[in-house]
Amino acid sequence: MNGEQPVRLYCFPHAGATSVAYRPWKALGTDRLTIVAVDQPGRGTRRRETRTEDFRQLVESTAAFVADDLRRAREETPGARWATFGHSFGATLSLAVAAAVERAVGEAPVRAFLSAALPPGLQKPDDTDALSDEQLLEKIAADGGTARELLSNSAMSAFLVRLMREDYVVRRQFPQEAGGLRVGFPLTLIAARDDVYVTPGRMWRWAEHSEVPARRVEIDGGHFAAVQEPAAVVAIVGEDIGEGER
């Protein structure tokens, strides 16, 4: 049966990050769950591709990347299923990409897992453009999602600032471009109890973006809890894809 087939979990990083954020996750995969970290064009594994700061182009390009990967995987494992996970900035992008991949391959994901992200309708204009590079680095450090040793390296800090500014250009498009996004597959909404940016109550508003009931899960920690303690999230994914059932 299809429900017994393995799942490829396509993981989308937070703003200013690359697929490296999910490197520790790969060891948590099983024979039924493969972790596939997804980069934006122009970054990481896709660094030779042309960067874009246009939301629609970014979704289209990334959906093509995911669809191609899924087709290749199915050549070796016919019937392999798929799901998405997105954290913070990556949550909105991942859901839009999942909807585009569904149209491309004619099959919905098992689920879309969203973590620590304000739904488009709750997002407010940001003042990132008004921040100097030094101020933006201070904000990145205060958010707690980037290792201090990276921020203290001048070349790496400049790289992080560039990525962050690019992502904020895209994020400003979320309310208009993703505000009306509504899918027909289930969502699992993951909220950290001590997240000062995205409270559980705000996270649950993502349920409005699906036509079917969503699962709501609270975990310990702050805004970056899901990526810093991935074992808890992978366990949640395993429950919702039927991992362990035989």
Side-chain angles (χ1 to χ4, degrees):
M1 296 175 60
N2 188 53
E4 297 176 348
Q5 294 296 325
V7 172
R8 294 179 75 77
L9 181 67
Y10 294 97
C11 298
F12 296 70
H14 52 278
T18 69
S19 61
V20 172
Y22 292 106
R23 184 175 292 167
W25 291 50
K26 293 183 179 295
L28 300 174
T30 68
D31 59 343
R32 298 192 68 206
L33 178 65
T34 299
I35 308 296
V36 184
V38 179
D39 276 308
Q40 295 182 35
R43 298 185 186 180
T45 58
R46 303 178 67 195
R47 59 187 173 276
R48 296 185 182 277
E49 300 179 40
T50 303
R51 298 198 304 269
T52 180
E53 294 178 354
D54 180 85
F55 177 78
R56 294 186 184 183
Q57 291 179 2
L58 180 57
V59 170
E60 180 180 349
S61 170
T62 308
F65 174 86
V66 171
D68 286 346
D69 179 87
L70 181 61
R71 293 186 184 104
R72 287 193 297 269
R74 285 177 167 174
E75 290 177 0
E76 296 185 6
T77 310
R81 300 177 295 159
W82 64 288
T84 59
F85 172 85
H87 182 77
S88 195
F89 170 91
T92 303
L93 180 59
S94 70
L95 188 60
V97 169
V101 174
E102 178 184 17
R103 292 191 294 270
V105 303
E107 179 186 326
V110 179
R111 295 186 85 88
F113 297 83
L114 309 180
S115 165
L118 286 176
L122 296 183
Q123 294 192 20
K124 306 296 183 184
D126 67 80
D127 60 353
T128 309
D129 282 347
L131 299 179
S132 67
D133 287 355
E134 291 73 19
Q135 290 172 323
L136 185 53
L137 280 172
E138 290 175 2
K139 181 182 185 305
I140 294 172
D143 288 345
T146 306
R148 292 279 179 175
E149 55 268 25
L150 294 180
L151 297 175
S152 63
N153 180 291
S154 59
M156 182 56 68
S157 63
F159 175 67
L160 292 173
V161 165
R162 177 176 69 79
L163 296 189
M164 186 67 77
R165 291 197 187 282
E166 290 175 359
D167 285 348
Y168 270 78
V169 171
V170 175
R171 196 174 80 170
R172 293 185 192 106
Q173 300 168 54
F174 285 174
Q176 178 177 348
E177 298 293 345
L181 179 62
R182 190 170 174 81
V183 300
F185 47 81
L187 311 180
T188 294
L189 310 176
I190 303 172
R193 297 183 179 92
D194 299 322
D195 189 338
V196 297
Y197 299 110
V198 187
T199 62
R202 289 182 169 187
M203 189 68 204
W204 304 156
R205 292 283 299 276
W206 276 105
E208 300 168 10
H209 289 264
S210 176
E211 298 172 357
V212 295
R215 181 189 179 199
R216 300 165 173 82
V217 184
E218 289 189 27
I219 61 175
D220 292 330
H223 186 67
F224 285 96
V227 292
Q228 293 172 340
E229 299 294 337
V233 175
V234 172
I236 293 167
V237 172
E239 292 171 4
D240 285 352
I241 68 169
E243 173 71 5
E245 294 180 3
R246 294 290 186 264

